[in-house]
Amino acid sequence: MLEINATETVREGSVFGQITTMDHEQLVICHDQPTGLKALIGIHNTVLGPALGGTRMWPYATEEEAITDVLRLSRGMTFKNALAGLNLGGGKAVIIGDPKQKNEAFLRRFGRFVESLGGRYVTAEDVNMKTSDMEYIAMETRHVTGLPQIKGGAGDPSPVTAFGVYMGMKAAAKKAFGSDSLQGKKIGVQGVGQVGKYLIDYLVKEGAEILITDIFEDKLKEVAKSSGATVVDPNVIYDLPMDIYAPCALGATINDQTIDRLKCAVIAGGANNQLKDEAKHGKILMDKGVIYAPDFLINAGGVINVGAEYYGDYHEETVFAQAQKIYDTCLTILDKSQKENIPAQQAAIEAAKARIEAIGRLKLPF
């Protein structure tokens, strides 16, 4: 295991340069030849508490792509946990490879790497990871959450994540349309995985007109059949007129190639890091008059769920009640954005930083 700490002398563009620019505390490189495990753990900030964030597994094209992803995701977790009012810092892990590589030995070896950090990082499930995978990891470390209910955990956090996104979407709709009702609104959901499916359930109950897309056709057919949603091609979702665009797959879908194609009044979805360049694209959306609900603000339901489990104080009613507060927090951030004439992403980051600085009694440059 190789540890890279943010106190080292750095060169711009290097790995050290990246963790310094984003003000990470630590980047951990994990490698195990017998199992083929290659993983990265990013610890961004631990002022509020241990760095909690899920582990995702993905066949990254390059190691540089994986490093960028883990650094951006862990930074986002710091802001997410702070805005959600949790006493948790921000971290994230990525495992490089095909999810088919996973087996007991592979996952338990990763668990040992998590354990070696002594509680500075707490893991949970994310893309291509399941609650059953957390069971194997938990055999090697107690610093894991999101376990199955039969193992004493809270189970799949996706329903709470989706509920928080739904609350944030309604708040953004109120800001954009004067009412938080989604009845009759045309909403494009990009990605019909666990979070996307649960979100669609809420939209169906509200009477929204739903468009769905995904790269996995079997998932699309299943969700279309159960919800009555209209299936659209992944390549044209950006070109279709709609009231709300809800990215619920991987991040960076709002980028130089897509931002001018979007024909929506609101963007509110469950994906992480939706803005490819948060400063540039956040400003463009503001100038276009598009209401953007910051992703790390409205998709915090999942971390609220697993955080309660980790601290041994899980009650489903309390967790959903806390996730419901995302509605008011989102309205506060959107009002701050409008009042100060700054992008919503910037307004949310400033609010998160303010809480961390108040608790930590120090000024953090990130």
Side-chain angles (χ1 to χ4, degrees), residues 29-110:
I29 300 173
C30 312
H31 176 247
D32 182 64
Q33 189 168 347
T35 62
L37 174 70
K38 294 181 180 179
L40 300 164
I41 300 173
I43 297 176
H44 181 254
N45 187 276
T46 56
V47 169
L48 296 178
L52 185 146
T55 295
R56 68 173 48 184
M57 188 167 186
W58 194 258
Y60 294 96
T62 65
E63 293 173 1
E64 290 77 13
E65 184 181 318
I67 290 171
T68 297
D69 206 27
V70 77
L71 293 178
R72 290 196 72 194
L73 288 166
S74 54
R75 176 175 177 266
M77 289 305 302
T78 292
F79 302 144
K80 180 184 299 189
N81 293 339
L83 274 187
L86 303 176
N87 293 318
L88 292 164
K92 203 79 174 183
V94 301
I95 298 175
I96 303 170
D98 189 324
K100 294 178 182 178
Q101 288 178 254
K102 290 186 297 181
N103 56 39
E104 180 181 352
F106 184 94
L107 293 165
R108 290 183 68 166
R109 188 65 186 94
F110 177 70

Side-chain angles (χ1 to χ4, degrees), residues 23 32 35 46 62 88 96 125 129 143 151 165 183 192 195 199 209 217 226 247 270 272 360:
D23 201 48
D32 182 64
T35 62
T46 56
T62 65
L88 292 164
I96 303 170
E125 67 171 292
M129 299 291 281
H143 305 297
K151 294 293 183 178
V165 173
Q183 184 174 8
V192 294
V195 173
L199 175 62
E209 180 182 347
E217 291 188 11
S226 63
N272 288 310

